Amino acid sequence: MLETLKNAWAVKEIRKKILFTIFILLIFRIGSWIPVPFIDIASLSNSGTTNEFFSYLSILTGGGLEHGAIFALSVTPYINASIIIQLLAVAIPALERLSKEGEEGQKKMAQITRYTAVGLGVLQGVAYYIYLNSYGNIMSSVTKFVTAPVVVLCLTAGATLVMWLGEQIDVKGIGNGVSMILFAGIISRAPTAARVLYNNLKIHPVGVVAILVVFLVIVAFIVWITNAERRIPIQYAKRVVGNKMYGGQNTHIPIKVNMSGVMPIIFASSILMLPTMILGFMGVKATTTSFGKALAMFSTQGVFYAVIYLLMIVGFSYFYATIQFNPVEMANNLRKNGGSIPGIRPGKPTSEFIRKILSRITLMGAFFLGIIAILPILVGKIGNMNISLGGTSLLILVGVALDMVQNLESQMMMRHYKGFLD
């Protein structure tokens, strides 16, 4: 990875893209500290208002929620909007047709996603305002008819600006813009998380070294699984066109073990955080009611939450695998191009074979995601610590880092490629 960065920095065009990406991320971090008007930052930091839902959002937003910043919502509205539109594209035929209309269709889908993200930004801004307003000493004494619109509009505008910054990275920078902003937010929280973990454990320096070794082993395991793939062998029949013979080569179809990335984890955790969010809005006294006790079962440190979390991750992994791979379509394309899987007849037997392999690979990838996600919950339960969201953060960090390295390698390959005229 370091060698790739060194070689990329030597190329002038790539160096400009790297510097532009760093500049955009710097703007994002500055905006994560600029407070929204009418919010008393000192009272907010001393109020102890953090619940599990906002702890989750705070990790993804780089602590913007804790500071009442204009970028407090970060890219969470855009991520949720993207997930919603992907789900609707499967359920609504009009959106499904639009997604298959090539470049123009993708532009329209992106525009719909942006509008949806703005709407979700307004809803999340209202929810954040209601949450803060429940603590009377945080909001300004100015009338609510003034503070409410200003706070919600500032948060929505901040989320929209972050979405635009992410798109600028897509066009002029390195890597996926939304992923890079998530990466910057999580990295910015790393020193604070390490200090809290160290203070809670109060262990000997040898124990710190042991934790670092375990951390590196987990990272290596994530990298190995992320790059792992199942290759289905494909053989193309020879055919004669005029005086030339085509085909006859052997190739393969790569199917990644973790083809859905961290999307199942993000979507599952977002849904499971809704009960905690509702409980936070209801107040502390709500935990004494039967409804409050039922919502409290979804605590991120509970065994019930871990079981439901694992099942939802497996379910969403299969859902995303279904979206990305269509065994029937793959079998038809192979037959049209004269390709076949050795030992498998073309047509329905091929599609059934691909579906069986896809199901097994998806199950392995889903359990991999689930284990990484719930392992911090189990460790936190044993050590009486709240590190339940560490697995999600670690998967995002490793995934974005690998994607960035692959992006740099592909760009260097394009610039060092010699055409047929050389």
Side-chain angles (χ1 to χ4, degrees):
M1 181 177 178
L2 294 178
E3 187 68 22
T4 301
L5 290 174
K6 179 182 177 182
N7 295 334
W9 186 261
V11 181
K12 183 178 179 180
E13 294 181 12
I14 301 179
R15 184 167 65 247
K16 287 182 178 179
K17 290 188 175 185
I18 294 175
L19 292 174
F20 180 82
T21 303
I22 295 174
F23 175 70
I24 293 295
L25 296 180
L26 181 62
I27 293 176
F28 167 68
R29 292 306 305 151
I30 293 174
S32 299
W33 282 89
I34 299 176
V36 172
F38 304 126
I39 294 181
D40 189 346
I41 306 302
S43 299
L44 177 61
S45 59
N46 298 326
S47 60
T49 59
T50 304
N51 69 358
E52 292 178 356
F53 174 73
F54 285 101
S55 296
Y56 168 74
L57 289 182
S58 185
I59 290 176
L60 298 182
T61 59
L65 284 172
E66 297 175 3
H67 307 137
I70 58 175
F71 287 172
L73 301 181
S74 187
V75 291
T76 51
Y78 183 77
I79 292 174
N80 293 333
S82 300
I83 294 172
I84 291 172
I85 296 302
Q86 287 181 17
L87 292 174
L88 293 179
V90 178
I92 301 177
L95 286 178
E96 185 179 5
R97 289 193 300 270
L98 191 62
S99 63
K100 296 180 179 179
E101 289 181 1
E103 186 176 353
E104 288 300 320
Q106 293 300 324
K107 288 182 179 179
K108 292 179 181 178
M109 291 290 290
Q111 195 69 13
I112 294 173
T113 304
R114 294 190 193 101
Y115 289 139
T116 307
V118 173
L120 290 177
V122 173
L123 293 177
Q124 292 185 12
V126 172
Y128 187 48
Y129 172 80
I130 294 174
Y131 179 69
L132 293 181
N133 196 51
S134 62
Y135 296 85
N137 60 333
I138 295 178
M139 303 303 299
S140 173
S141 59
V142 182
T143 176
K144 294 180 181 180
F145 291 103
V146 177
T147 59
V150 171
V151 171
V152 173
L153 286 176
C154 284
L155 292 173
T156 306
T160 306
L161 181 56
V162 172
M163 178 176 62
W164 180 80
L165 292 175
E167 292 179 349
Q168 296 307 303
I169 294 178
D170 291 337
V171 177
K172 303 178 183 178
I174 294 293
N176 180 274
V178 174
S179 299
M180 293 301 295
I181 289 175
L182 278 176
F183 183 86
I186 295 174
I187 284 292
S188 67
R189 299 280 295 171
T192 302
R195 185 174 65 253
V196 171
L197 183 62
Y198 181 80
N199 292 334
N200 288 338
L201 291 176
K202 296 179 180 178
I203 55 179
H204 193 270
V206 176
V208 176
V209 175
I211 291 177
L212 291 177
V213 171
V214 172
F215 174 79
L216 292 176
V217 170
I218 293 175
V219 171
F221 176 69
I222 293 175
V223 172
W224 178 64
I225 291 292
T226 302
N227 292 329
E229 61 183 20
R230 168 71 157 87
R231 297 182 176 181
I232 302 177
I234 302 296
Q235 185 175 16
Y236 287 93
K238 295 181 180 180
R239 53 196 178 96
V240 178
V241 179
N243 295 327
K244 294 184 178 181
M245 180 178 293
Y246 295 91
Q249 73 270 24
N250 296 326
T251 183
H252 63 269
I253 300 176
I255 300 179
K256 282 189 170 293
V257 174
N258 183 24
M259 67 182 70
S260 54
V262 296
M263 293 307 294
I265 286 185
I266 293 176
F267 199 31
S269 57
S270 299
I271 292 178
L272 288 178
M273 281 296 170
L274 290 178
T276 310
M277 180 183 68
I278 296 172
L279 191 63
F281 291 156
M282 293 173 62
V284 180
K285 295 182 179 180
T287 55
T288 59
T289 64
S290 57
F291 181 67
K293 291 179 180 178
L295 293 178
M297 294 177 61
F298 289 90
S299 171
T300 57
Q301 301 179 61
V303 177
F304 178 77
Y305 174 88
V307 174
I308 301 298
Y309 196 19
L310 178 61
L311 294 177
M312 292 189 69
I313 288 173
V314 173
F316 285 121
S317 296
Y318 273 97
F319 172 77
Y320 278 102
T322 304
I323 293 178
Q324 295 176 357
F325 280 91
N326 186 343
V328 176
E329 185 177 348
M330 293 173 66
N332 291 335
N333 290 335
L334 284 175
R335 184 168 55 181
K336 290 178 182 178
N337 294 308
S340 63
I341 301 174
I344 307 297
R345 289 187 299 173
K348 187 176 180 180
T350 298
S351 65
E352 291 295 332
F353 179 78
I354 295 176
R355 182 179 288 108
K356 185 184 297 184
I357 291 181
L358 185 61
S359 178
R360 293 175 179 175
I361 293 298
T362 303
L363 183 62
M364 291 179 59
F367 272 110
F368 153 71
L369 289 176
I371 290 172
I372 297 297
I374 68 173
L375 185 60
I377 300 177
L378 301 178
V379 174
K381 192 71 175 177
I382 296 173
N384 196 22
M385 297 177 295
N386 186 10
I387 56 173
S388 55
L389 300 175
T392 304
S393 303
L394 192 58
L395 281 168
I396 293 174
L397 289 178
V398 175
V400 174
L402 291 175
D403 181 68
M404 182 181 65
V405 171
Q406 291 176 358
N407 192 295
L408 290 174
E409 290 177 347
S410 63
Q411 294 206 27
M412 285 190 296
M413 187 178 297
M414 287 190 299
R415 284 164 176 76
H416 289 89
Y417 177 74
K418 294 183 178 181
F420 67 94
L421 295 177
D422 295 335

